[in-house]
Amino acid sequence: MLLKIINGISRPLYIGAIILGGTLSSCGVYPRILNFPYDPGGRSLNSPAGDINPQISGRYIVFSSDREGRQDIYLFDTQDRRLVDLPGINALDTIASHPAISQDGNSIVFCGSREGRTDIYLYNKPTRQLRNLTEALKAEVRNPTISADGNMISFEAGAQGQWNIMVIDRAGNGLNIPDVLR
């Protein structure tokens, strides 16, 4: 029981106790600690490498890691408890970061830095195709996200000293926000 001091007298605080009790009772559901095996060879979710920017969607966890001596994108399937092959997503001359994944795990967006320029890339897992979505954009870009269905991508774009939120479709076409919200 929580107590509140009013004019020097301790009084029970039932509302706080109910809220606290309700909060404590939900701790068994979320957040929870997931126990995935550690693999010193880097073939599981947990490894000695620097793993950063993890994002979860459905059964998948996407993250960037320096497991191969360069920063690449990795995908872990929590149901099958294994890393998923992503042929064609990582390149020797690109530093990959800030990945996000669609709910079905078929589309991954991320920042890729190559030759001093950062762009937003879209990887289609079933077709193994990688597309640069911001190649023609004359702005700095960062922090991409993708909709649950994988059809819309948003990110920050900075030009002329100002950062704006951009929303594009899978083809890289800009969207009018009012049209998206209808």
Side-chain angles (χ1 to χ4, degrees), residues 22-98:
T23 302
L24 290 176
S25 69
S26 67
C27 285
V29 178
Y30 185 84
R32 61 183 179 180
I33 296 175
L34 302 175
N35 187 14
F36 291 105
Y38 172 82
D39 180 1
R43 294 175 300 272
S44 184
L45 182 62
N46 297 311
S47 77
D51 300 333
I52 56 175
N53 305 113
Q55 300 291 318
I56 189 165
S57 186
R59 67 189 265 186
Y60 298 102
I61 300 172
V62 66
F63 58 97
S64 55
S65 178
D66 62 359
R67 295 176 183 209
E68 300 292 324
R70 62 185 188 274
Q71 195 165 303
D72 288 335
I73 301 299
Y74 291 85
L75 181 63
F76 186 79
D77 184 328
T78 61
Q79 196 170 34
D80 292 343
R81 301 176 69 83
R82 65 175 181 84
L83 286 175
V84 177
D85 279 338
L86 299 173
I89 195 171
N90 297 309
L92 290 174
D93 65 344
T94 302
I95 299 170
S97 66
H98 297 90

